Amino acid sequence: MASVPDFASRDPLSPQFWDERFERDFTPWERGGVSAALRRFVAASRPLITLVPGCGSARELTLMCDAGWDATAIDFSPEAVARARALAGPWADRILQADFFAYAPEQPLDLVYEQAFLCALPRARRPDVARRWAELLGQGGLLAGYFYFDAAPKGPPFGIAREELDALLAPAFECIVDEAVEDSIPVFAGKERWMIWRRL
Ligand SMILES: C[S@@+](CC[C@H](N)C(=O)[O-])C[C@H]1O[C@@H](n2cnc3c(N)ncnc32)[C@H](O)[C@@H]1O
């Protein structure tokens, strides 16, 4: 990976942290397209009412909306929202500037899509993320996407241990899919899994 530029903001809990990185085009977490597992999942699924929290460039939103899904992507960084809207074509109005912890969807969700959002936040915030996921989904609702496993203390990305993820989600979710990922980008290679968790 290229060396990290000298940024003014060091707090990933603030939108300014992410704004600065989008503004300076330092986005090593970006896949630059839609992953194979998500393509397979969308192709095999009925249309789902979906929320993509912390969407960044939100490339997956177009795939979902083109497939007839009622998908909304949110990000609290104005720079991320501007970038995502510029890429989304006819679906630009499905991208909202909003804080995940305060955002209330207009209708019940079938799916929350996870991709480099949990690992973007400091570890102390994880129980709040898991609580909000559980609140956003009714029984049978799905939490699907990529989960990053690593023990390095510094981040983002902040990896999680498998046992910790299980403990975080176990009260409200059961894991129904857990697969290796064949098309990871370097930042996540060998350390991420495609997972689907069902709300109990
Ligand atoms: C590592 S990036 C991942 C972006 C995208 N999901 C991807 O895979 O390319 C994390 C994103 O989460 C956003 N974010 C962080 N905290 C947030 C919050 N509380 N509410 C909404 N977005 C948030 C950041 O602005 C940033 O765009």
Side-chain angles (χ1 to χ4, degrees), residues 13 28-29 41 69-70 83 88 126 128 139 146 154 190 198:
L13 293 177
W29 61 83
F41 179 70
W69 291 26
D70 183 344
R83 181 183 283 231
R126 286 180 183 160
D128 299 327
Q139 193 178 14
Y146 293 90
K154 284 194 173 175
R198 182 164 48 208

Side-chain angles (χ1 to χ4, degrees), residues 36-117:
L38 179 59
R39 280 190 195 283
R40 286 194 292 269
F41 179 70
V42 170
S45 172
R46 67 177 172 87
L48 300 176
I49 301 171
T50 298
L51 179 67
V52 183
C55 63
S57 295
R59 291 178 187 273
E60 57 281 2
L61 184 81
T62 303
L63 175 81
M64 293 170 179
C65 292
D66 283 349
W69 291 26
D70 183 344
T72 302
I74 62 168
D75 203 293
F76 71 174
S77 151
E79 284 295 327
V81 170
R83 181 183 283 231
R85 285 187 178 149
L87 290 168
W91 311 114
D93 64 351
R94 303 283 186 94
I95 297 153
L96 308 177
Q97 187 182 333
D99 186 328
F100 169 70
F101 298 102
Y103 177 74
E106 285 174 4
Q107 53 186 335
L109 299 174
D110 299 316
L111 172 72
V112 173
Y113 180 66
E114 165 58 26
Q115 187 179 289
F117 177 61

Side-chain angles (χ1 to χ4, degrees), residues 117-142:
F117 177 61
L118 181 67
C119 70
L121 304 187
R123 294 182 165 88
R125 204 66 162 122
R126 286 180 183 160
D128 299 327
V129 175
R131 193 174 310 115
R132 194 70 195 122
W133 280 339
E135 288 167 358
L136 286 167
L137 290 165
Q139 193 178 14
L142 300 178

